Amino acid sequence: ETGVTQTPRHLVMGMTNKKSLKCEQHLGHNAMYWYKQSAKKPLELMFVYNFKEQTENNSVPSRFSPECPNSSHLFLHLHTLQPEDSALYLCASSSDRSNEKLFFGSGTQLSVL
Amino acid sequence: DQQVKQNSPSLSVQEGRISILNCDYTNSMFDYFLWYKKYPAEGPTFLISISSIKDKNEDGRFTVFLNKSAKHLSLHIVPSQPGDSAVYFCAATATGGSYIPTFGRGTSLIVHP
């Protein structure tokens, strides 16, 4: 248990569906992240929030919409996704100081049909 | 342009032998380095780190070596065990800079019994 919980663990959705991924951390961290990991590709940083404010948007398509209502919760709203968006979506948290490790959730394995 | 490079996508080692995973970086501002381990369908977990003021850090079977002049670090696992089979990510940060780590592409280690 890393202190970062992601739900659901698995998600299958059609291209016209709307779904949301949820992440919760109980570590008292200020920064939360969304990463995407596709098969045989590196970890791709998608979004970063610090104290609920978005500080990074790594040229992510608008069909991915993050939401951070407080520093413990992070959502990723999905709509009109494409099959190439199928991947493992990882949430992480950390303090906002340098040299601090990230704590990752177990991820949501997303399949877009 | 990748600032953190793991040029070997995979490594196969016999149980009991040493595993050496390599990582190179280009940004001379990086001064703190971390290794993460990731099993399939799970989030990465922190393994070991090293500050640029050191050239070696050891934790049980895991040792990380840093060669600042070559901008190169390596993770040694000895003796290797089948349970070490995973993807290993190298990451780097710059003290005083962004707290967001830069990840390499990862190296998939397979330890054969």
Side-chain angles (χ1 to χ4, degrees):
Chain A
E1 176 59 52
T2 65
V4 179
T5 304
Q6 285 187 246
T7 54
R9 288 297 308 271
H10 302 274
L11 179 62
V12 179
M13 59 187 288
M15 289 190 286
T16 58
N17 292 159
K18 287 186 179 181
K19 296 286 184 184
S20 295
L21 310 185
K22 179 183 175 182
C23 178
E24 188 173 353
Q25 59 98 0
H26 303 282
L27 300 169
H29 289 153
N30 302 325
M32 295 188 77
Y33 310 71
W34 280 116
Y35 281 90
K36 173 184 177 183
Q37 190 189 21
S38 305
K40 298 182 181 179
K41 284 191 174 181
L43 285 169
E44 298 176 52
L45 179 65
M46 300 176 72
F47 301 104
V48 182
Y49 279 81
N50 190 1
F51 284 104
K52 304 187 299 178
E53 298 296 321
Q54 189 179 126
T55 59
E56 291 278 332
N57 177 338
N58 215 19
S59 302
V60 181
S62 59
R63 56 186 185 270
F64 295 92
S65 174
E67 179 190 0
C68 189
N70 55 63
S71 51
S72 297
H73 294 85
L74 185 65
F75 295 90
L76 187 62
H77 304 298
L78 316 171
H79 61 99
T80 59
L81 294 194
Q82 305 298 312
E84 60 264 28
D85 296 323
S86 299
L88 179 67
Y89 288 85
L90 292 160
C91 173
S93 71
S94 74
S95 77
D96 58 354
R97 298 189 303 272
S98 297
N99 307 347
E100 293 290 331
K101 60 190 178 189
L102 268 62
F103 290 79
F104 285 87
S106 296
T108 295
Q109 187 66 54
L110 173 68
S111 296
V112 181
L113 305 179
Chain B
D1 178 38
Q2 278 196 286
Q3 296 186 63
V4 176
K5 300 177 184 179
Q6 293 178 258
N7 293 320
S8 297
S10 63
L11 175 66
S12 183
V13 170
Q14 202 69 32
E15 181 179 7
R17 299 289 189 104
I18 185 171
S19 296
I20 300 175
L21 296 99
N22 294 304
C23 178
D24 296 291
Y25 60 97
T26 58
N27 188 339
S28 57
M29 299 301 291
F30 287 148
D31 57 3
Y32 193 76
F33 306 89
L34 309 95
W35 285 94
Y36 290 82
K37 175 180 178 179
K38 183 184 180 303
Y39 292 116
E42 292 185 13
T45 55
F46 170 75
L47 188 58
I48 192 169
S49 62
I50 188 167
S51 165
S52 61
I53 62 174
K54 294 185 172 184
D55 54 19
K56 176 183 175 181
N57 188 25
E58 189 172 354
D59 183 3
R61 296 185 298 112
F62 302 91
T63 303
V64 56
F65 294 92
L66 176 62
N67 182 334
K68 290 185 288 295
S69 60
K71 294 192 178 68
H72 175 83
L73 61 154
S74 59
L75 174 68
H76 292 214
I77 306 172
V78 56
S80 301
Q81 300 174 355
D84 296 328
S85 298
V87 178
Y88 289 80
F89 291 97
C90 174
T93 61
T95 303
S98 171
Y99 58 88
I100 302 169
T102 300
F103 281 88
R105 288 179 167 265
T107 296
S108 176
L109 173 66
I110 299 172
V111 180
H112 296 283

